[in-house]
Amino acid sequence: MKKVVIVGSGVVGLFCAVRLRIAGAQVTLLEAEAEHPSPFGPIASAAAAGMLAVLDAVPSPHEQLAIESLKLWRELRPGAEWADGVRFDGGVHVRANADDAQNFFRNAQRLGLDVSALNAGQARKRLGLSKKLENAIFVGDEGTADPQRVLTGLAMQARAMGVVIEYHRDVENVTQSAVMTHDNRVYEGDAVVLAPGVWATEKLMRAAPALKHVQPAKGHVVAVETDATLGPNLHAPDFYMVRRREDVVIGATMEPGRYDRRVDESKVDALLDAARAFLPGEVKAEGRAWAGIRPMSPDGWPVVGPSGDVFVAAGHSRNGWLLAPLTAEIISAYVFSREIEPAWAALAPSRFEAS
Ligand SMILES: Cc1cc2nc3c(=O)[nH]c(=O)nc-3n(C[C@H](O)[C@H](O)[C@H](O)COP(=O)(O)OP(=O)(O)OC[C@H]3O[C@@H](n4cnc5c(N)ncnc54)[C@H](O)[C@@H]3O)c2cc1C
């Protein structure tokens, strides 16, 4: 049986663990932090909003991969330990003007998505708002994952399948076939997968040079109170609003180069002001705000594939939740030397090394 050691138990490492186990590997997952990650801690996956939104403002050559990953979410959910943490209620995208809305609509149609233009009253009804919204497009192919619930559920699922998960194991050194922790434990494997988010050290980067391409971008998220029922995610021009299992959040700032997770009240106020201006009288601060650090790649798409003597699954930027199931599929194909589809190969680290 192939032995695989994975470093990092964010959403990417956890999905890789489950997928590799299904493929028949004996999997050990090592995590530096404690079990039960908090949105206030360093794990980006726990701080995220959790939208599974395939469309961004700017069209990209990799959109089909996002659609493929959303499809995997739908296929993997039935019966999974985390099933009650994921919904597929779609998203309402409000664009700046009618032309912009039309372009967005055409792009969604071109991709074969379930999409419809909403008049102002329909948008209000769909989101359960008081205010009518102009230039709104409904995308049915969109979902939401509650980060806390799904991270916990994924760890439960992995353990139930036989994955060994060890917390408080800070990996200091890596070779092709072994991983060493800060307390001098050695874990041997036939393959090593690094999924450290934005937190790779110099030593990890020496083992996997692709990790050098991953840079931080801080993002604030603010919990709010609202009477809006939501269901679908709301993507307004200057913020988004998402209902999760236990809260509603608005987000998120984009602050490149920042590793600190200090909550900056001016950023929180700016998000709240944007939400209050867009939906007068409908949004109040709930009292919690936090900041997470996204692992950004130069083009905003993940870096997945061989680097040095190991495999990397990192740099998921703003879409790590959405793209984690597909990442796991690709990593499993690399580890078991299965065929790599051209669209998957396009995410390999070599795309940066060639330029
Ligand atoms: C504010 C915000 C909002 C976001 N919203 C969304 C969204 O709506 N939808 C979406 O799809 N994505 C969203 N994202 C992006 C998404 O959260 C990330 O892309 C994704 O979580 C990255 O997952 P990861 O597993 O690679 O990294 P992480 O979740 O950071 O996990 C990496 C793990 O590796 C561990 N680790 C690192 N180094 C070591 C080591 N040496 N030894 C052992 N363990 C180690 C860390 O402790 C950590 O637990 C958001 C991010 C932020 C910050």
Side-chain angles (χ1 to χ4, degrees), residues 3-21 25-33 35 151-152 154-159 162-171 179 181 187-188 191-196 313:
K3 282 170 75 173
V4 184
V5 183
I6 302 175
V7 179
S9 76
V11 66
V12 173
L14 280 166
F15 261 107
C16 287
V18 169
R19 182 64 186 87
L20 285 163
R21 185 78 194 102
Q26 183 183 322
V27 181
T28 303
L29 180 58
L30 302 174
E31 167 57 51
E33 297 294 314
E35 200 173 351
L151 288 173
T152 307
L154 276 168
M156 283 165 60
Q157 180 179 23
R159 280 213 183 93
V163 172
V164 174
I165 308 182
E166 296 191 18
Y167 296 93
H168 304 290
R169 299 279 181 262
D170 199 339
V171 170
V179 157
T181 59
Y187 298 81
E188 291 184 343
V192 173
V193 178
L194 300 183

Side-chain angles (χ1 to χ4, degrees), residues 6-14 30-34 37 42-53 73 143 145 147 151 166 168-174 179-181 194-201 204 217-221 233 235 240 242 244 251-253 290-296 313-324:
I6 302 175
V7 179
S9 76
V11 66
V12 173
L14 280 166
L30 302 174
E31 167 57 51
E33 297 294 314
I43 302 177
S45 304
M51 290 182 296
L52 309 176
W73 272 105
L151 288 173
E166 296 191 18
H168 304 290
R169 299 279 181 262
D170 199 339
V171 170
E172 284 207 328
N173 237 326
V174 173
V179 157
M180 278 71 69
T181 59
L194 300 183
V198 76
W199 305 112
T201 56
L204 258 54
K218 179 175 174 179
H220 282 78
V221 173
N233 305 321
H235 301 259
Y240 56 71
V242 186
R244 291 110 61 94
T253 58
W290 58 89
I293 313 298
R294 303 178 188 87
M296 302 300 293
H316 286 68
S317 307
R318 296 168 57 220
N319 286 314
W321 272 93
L322 171 65
L323 297 172

Side-chain angles (χ1 to χ4, degrees), residues 67-323:
I67 294 170
E68 205 180 320
S69 203
L70 184 71
K71 195 163 157 250
L72 285 171
W73 272 105
R74 288 188 198 272
E75 287 169 11
L76 296 170
R77 185 177 68 157
E81 278 78 351
W82 41 265
D84 61 356
V86 177
R87 302 191 325 268
F88 299 104
D89 291 342
V92 173
H93 295 248
V94 180
R95 311 302 299 173
N97 54 51
D99 283 351
D100 196 3
Q102 200 172 42
N103 289 338
F104 186 87
F105 180 84
R106 286 208 188 110
N107 188 40
Q109 257 189 337
R110 174 182 65 81
L111 291 164
L113 295 174
D114 165 20
V115 61
S116 48
L118 304 177
N119 67 33
Q122 287 169 327
R124 171 171 72 181
K125 188 169 155 202
R126 184 82 68 152
L127 292 162
L129 291 167
S130 302
K131 190 191 163 190
K132 291 183 174 180
L133 299 177
E134 304 287 346
N135 306 316
I137 308 289
F138 175 71
V139 179
D141 293 307
E142 182 168 325
T144 313
D146 181 278
Q148 304 296 306
R149 176 70 192 108
V150 179
L151 288 173
T152 307
L154 276 168
M156 283 165 60
Q157 180 179 23
R159 280 213 183 93
M161 294 167 71
V163 172
V164 174
I165 308 182
E166 296 191 18
Y167 296 93
H168 304 290
R169 299 279 181 262
D170 199 339
V171 170
E172 284 207 328
N173 237 326
V174 173
T175 69
Q176 182 178 14
S177 57
V179 157
M180 278 71 69
T181 59
H182 69 295
D183 49 359
N184 298 321
R185 290 168 202 252
V186 178
Y187 298 81
E188 291 184 343
D190 304 302
V192 173
V193 178
L194 300 183
V198 76
W199 305 112
T201 56
E202 290 292 327
K203 278 188 184 165
L204 258 54
M205 289 181 198
R206 271 205 289 280
L211 292 173
K212 286 187 201 147
H213 298 292
V214 180
Q215 295 296 320
K218 179 175 174 179
H220 282 78
V221 173
V222 185
V224 294
E225 288 176 6
T226 177
D227 289 334
T229 44
L230 296 173
N233 305 321
L234 167 62
H235 301 259
D238 299 320
F239 72 100
Y240 56 71
M241 184 157 70
V242 186
R243 180 174 293 285
R244 291 110 61 94
R245 270 168 62 94
E246 318 237 328
D247 59 8
V248 177
V249 296
I250 60 171
T253 58
M254 177 56 79
E255 302 162 55
R258 301 278 301 268
Y259 279 104
D260 71 280
R261 300 191 311 280
R262 187 180 64 82
V263 174
D264 179 341
E265 289 306 328
S266 69
K267 303 284 184 195
V268 171
D269 289 346
L271 278 171
L272 284 166
D273 287 348
R276 289 189 195 116
F278 191 76
L279 300 171
E282 298 203 58
V283 179
K284 275 198 309 193
E286 184 247 58
R288 287 179 308 139
W290 58 89
I293 313 298
R294 303 178 188 87
M296 302 300 293
S297 76
D299 60 9
W301 287 85
V303 187
V304 186
S307 180
D309 291 331
V310 300
F311 299 102
V312 295
H316 286 68
S317 307
R318 296 168 57 220
N319 286 314
W321 272 93
L322 171 65
L323 297 172

